[in-house]
């Protein structure tokens, strides 16, 4: 059974809600997924990815493999398994709590419901949230393990809105760091703020998003 709710407190209907992307928005994952996929490609004797590209990095892994011409099912499955294992190890090694970000969330939590909408799998999302210390702040978690399509499709955001029991409206905004994520949020009818990194996420920026 998938775990979508980290905090069991009831979500107040029509309370202002902020839906964050995870990688690169709440948590600085740097080149973890890029490095992990290249490790898997190397082990599979496949060509490596070029230099890190933020927008390409935001795509689901299977889309990356398709764009690289790796379409044979058993090869893709093997690369995906290896990539996930490498990413889990790198997250454990590299991710630590960001006290500045935790301070921002501390200020937001009394007046806002905070959620995460991410292409990450359940396991990877939980690992990132707990390693970063962010998990206790999150009332709603929608991950790429949901049956719908991943970003840039709107499915994950539509699932989040359905869980919140209200349609996209001024009570809810999204915050994303990639064009892929911004597309998904806007296709779901949400206002979306774009950041370049977690350092851009401030209390004032979030509050201003509802103005």
């Amino acid at each position: 059974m998938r775990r979508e709710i980290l905090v069991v407190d009831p979500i107040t209907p029509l309370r202002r809600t902020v839906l964050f992307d995870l990688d690169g928005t709440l948590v600085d994952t740097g080149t973890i997924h890029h490095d992990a996929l290249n490790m898997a490609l190397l082990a599979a004797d496949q060509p490596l990815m070029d230099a890190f590209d933020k927008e390409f990095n935001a795509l689901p892994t299977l889309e990356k493999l398709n764009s690289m011409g790796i379409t044979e099912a058993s090869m893709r499955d093997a690369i995906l398994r290896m990539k996930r294992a490498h990413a889990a190890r790198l997250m454990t090694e590299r991710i630590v709590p960001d006290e500045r970000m935790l301070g921002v969330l501390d200020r937001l939590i009394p007046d806002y419901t905070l959620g995460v909408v991410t292409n990450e799998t359940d396991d990877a999302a939980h690992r990132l949230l707990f390693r970063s210390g962010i998990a206790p702040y999150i009332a709603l978690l929608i991950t790429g393990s949901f049956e719908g399509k991943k970003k840039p499709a709107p499915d994950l955001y539509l699932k989040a809105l359905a869980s919140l029991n209200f349609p996209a409206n001024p009570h809810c905004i999204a915050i994303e760091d990639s064009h892929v994520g911004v597309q998904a949020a806007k296709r779901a009818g949400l206002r979306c703020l774009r950041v370049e990194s977690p350092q851009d996420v401030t209390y004032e920026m979030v509050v201003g998003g509802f103005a």
Side-chain angles (χ1 to χ4, degrees):
M1 179 173 164
R2 283 186 298 277
R3 302 160 293 176
E4 288 182 347
I5 307 297
L6 289 183
V7 180
V8 296
D9 296 339
I11 298 173
T12 305
L14 299 186
R15 189 173 192 244
R16 286 185 170 182
T17 298
V18 186
L19 298 175
F20 293 95
D21 176 50
L22 187 52
D23 298 71
T25 300
L26 278 181
V27 180
D28 186 1
T29 49
T31 60
I32 284 177
H33 289 290
H34 177 87
D35 295 345
L37 182 52
N38 266 346
M39 291 174 186
L41 291 168
L42 181 63
D45 197 28
Q46 296 293 318
L48 302 186
M49 290 190 297
D50 294 330
F52 177 78
D53 179 271
K54 186 174 184 177
E55 294 300 335
F56 187 71
N57 192 58
L59 292 171
T61 301
L62 288 179
E63 288 190 30
K64 296 175 188 174
L65 296 179
N66 283 338
S67 72
M68 298 170 70
I70 301 173
T71 57
E72 201 274 316
S74 61
M75 174 63 73
R76 294 199 313 175
D77 289 346
I79 291 172
L80 189 58
R81 285 195 301 273
M82 290 189 287
K83 186 262 183 182
R84 287 175 175 168
H86 286 306
R89 176 178 57 80
L90 293 175
M91 287 177 191
T92 300
E93 293 174 357
R94 299 181 186 179
I95 301 300
V96 296
D98 176 354
E99 295 302 326
R100 190 203 66 83
M101 179 63 76
L102 298 181
V104 172
L105 301 179
D106 269 329
R107 294 182 67 188
L108 290 171
I109 201 69
D111 301 310
Y112 298 86
T113 295
L114 307 182
V116 165
V117 178
T118 175
N119 275 350
E120 289 279 16
T121 63
D122 277 352
D123 286 345
H126 280 79
R127 186 175 296 108
L128 280 175
L129 288 169
F130 282 100
R131 289 289 302 173
S132 64
I134 290 172
Y137 298 94
I138 303 303
L140 178 69
L141 173 63
I142 304 295
T143 75
S145 295
F146 170 61
E147 290 91 344
K149 295 179 181 178
K150 295 183 179 183
K151 304 173 189 176
D155 300 37
L156 299 182
Y157 275 109
L158 294 173
K159 170 67 172 174
L161 292 169
S163 299
L164 292 166
N165 296 316
F166 59 77
N169 60 37
H171 292 284
C172 184
I173 63 170
I175 300 179
E176 287 275 358
D177 74 308
S178 70
H179 179 62
V180 169
V182 172
Q183 277 187 299
K186 288 187 174 180
R187 287 173 180 174
L190 283 165
R191 181 179 184 186
C192 185
L193 306 181
R194 173 84 182 260
V195 297
E196 292 301 317
S197 75
Q199 292 299 314
D200 293 336
V201 178
T202 65
Y203 176 81
E204 292 76 16
M205 184 270 289
V206 174
V207 172
F210 291 94

